[in-house]
Amino acid sequence: MTIYYDSRTGNVERFVRKVSARTGWQCLKISEDLIISSPGHLITYTTKIGQVSYSTERFMQVNSPFILTISSSGNMNWGANFAVAADKIATRYGIPLLLKFELSGLERDVNAFIEKVNSFKVRLHEQVM
């Protein structure tokens, strides 16, 4: 399993490290020049109280066919704009929203993410068969 992620303040990177430590999944930080060829899940952050980061948007413009789901970190102080980058990406690219979590996520968020990715793999496998 591959997790692609974008992190500006380190919150998403801390979340991804927790996921990787528990699962061994490969986690790759996105960059403007990263072009992927294998499917994976994207975790990003919400910036400017409700916007998708430029780096995530550029990544999705090139790599969206390989992204299976989107998750986002956010700040609950932003109310309705909490982790709304995930909503925007899900709508724009027609991919499922997997999880929203605050800042670097709690242990229950890490567990939920792992469970949802594993459940997604099972559903995807069942669709293929």
Side-chain angles (χ1 to χ4, degrees):
M1 183 56 53
T2 304
I3 307 298
Y4 302 103
Y5 72 96
D6 195 4
S7 185
R8 183 181 53 137
T9 64
N11 284 326
V12 172
E13 190 157 12
R14 283 189 291 280
F15 181 85
V16 166
R17 282 187 194 147
K18 293 180 226 177
V19 169
S20 181
R22 297 190 64 210
T23 62
W25 293 342
Q26 179 183 22
C27 298
L28 297 173
K29 187 170 185 179
I30 69 171
S31 62
E32 275 193 50
D33 59 344
L34 178 63
I35 298 175
I36 63 175
S37 59
S38 62
H41 301 269
L42 176 62
I43 305 174
T44 191
Y45 61 93
T46 300
T47 190
K48 298 181 184 172
I49 310 177
Q51 300 300 313
V52 177
S53 73
Y54 173 78
S55 51
T56 295
E57 188 55 52
R58 283 284 300 140
F59 174 81
M60 288 300 293
Q61 288 170 356
V62 174
N63 298 294
S64 63
F66 294 101
I67 301 303
L68 301 171
T69 66
I70 180 68
S71 298
S72 183
S73 171
N75 188 319
M76 288 195 181
N77 289 338
W78 294 352
N81 288 324
F82 167 68
V84 77
D87 297 299
K88 291 180 177 184
I89 291 168
T91 299
R92 190 172 299 140
Y93 294 97
I95 60 175
L97 192 158
L98 194 69
L99 182 73
K100 293 180 177 186
F101 57 94
E102 187 168 30
L103 304 174
S104 62
L106 300 172
E107 196 63 28
R108 70 174 178 244
D109 300 316
V110 172
N111 292 336
F113 179 79
I114 293 167
E115 288 172 18
K116 288 175 184 255
V117 166
N118 284 330
S119 175
F120 187 85
K121 283 192 317 192
V122 168
R123 286 193 318 270
L124 195 60
H125 179 72
E126 289 170 350
Q127 288 176 355
V128 171
M129 298 187 88

